[in-house]
Amino acid sequence: MRRFDPTARLRGLSRSYRDRYGRRARALAAVLEDDDDVVVVNPWQLRLPRTVVLAAARNRGLEPVGGTRELVQRGPWLEPMRFARVEGSG
């Protein structure tokens, strides 16, 4: 009796996962690359968690308007997230 080899199945699963979230990450990157002073991100439109949006924004030199405490008080999902460019970055 031959043993089941899940390698091919897992490879296909990881590829579909990467493609799905890759599209969402590219959409987030397009929003964050805006040249405005304040960038507004709606996580519900991108279908990404707020922690992912916050990490991506900080990686691009953006900080939340009002600090992270403001993000927590706004609500988990529906409220837009506002980010401003940090002086001296980019």
Side-chain angles (χ1 to χ4, degrees), residues 3-12:
R3 295 193 104 176
F4 175 70
D5 183 23
T7 307
R9 183 172 167 221
L10 289 176
R11 212 173 278 141

Side-chain angles (χ1 to χ4, degrees), residues 28-42 53 57 60-65 71 80-85:
L28 175 61
V31 170
L32 293 177
E33 292 299 323
D34 197 9
D35 287 337
D36 293 339
D37 290 337
V38 176
V39 178
V40 179
V41 178
N42 294 312
V53 173
R60 286 176 171 71
L62 296 166
E63 284 295 322
V65 174
L71 290 180
M81 300 172 74
R82 290 174 175 77
F83 297 97
R85 301 245 176 244

Side-chain angles (χ1 to χ4, degrees):
M1 182 178 242
R2 194 177 85 161
R3 295 193 104 176
F4 175 70
D5 183 23
T7 307
R9 183 172 167 221
L10 289 176
R11 212 173 278 141
L13 180 66
S14 67
R15 181 179 300 138
S16 68
Y17 182 84
R18 187 174 50 240
D19 289 345
R20 178 185 307 148
Y21 292 104
R23 285 191 300 268
R24 293 177 186 174
R26 286 189 295 275
L28 175 61
V31 170
L32 293 177
E33 292 299 323
D34 197 9
D35 287 337
D36 293 339
D37 290 337
V38 176
V39 178
V40 179
V41 178
N42 294 312
W44 60 272
Q45 286 180 335
L46 299 171
R47 295 185 320 229
L48 288 170
R50 292 172 74 87
T51 55
V52 171
V53 173
L54 177 62
R58 283 188 170 164
N59 190 30
R60 286 176 171 71
L62 296 166
E63 284 295 322
V65 174
T68 53
R69 174 165 266 160
E70 181 70 20
L71 290 180
V72 172
Q73 292 178 358
R74 288 207 166 233
W77 186 252
L78 295 177
E79 291 293 324
M81 300 172 74
R82 290 174 175 77
F83 297 97
R85 301 245 176 244
V86 177
E87 295 298 322
S89 68

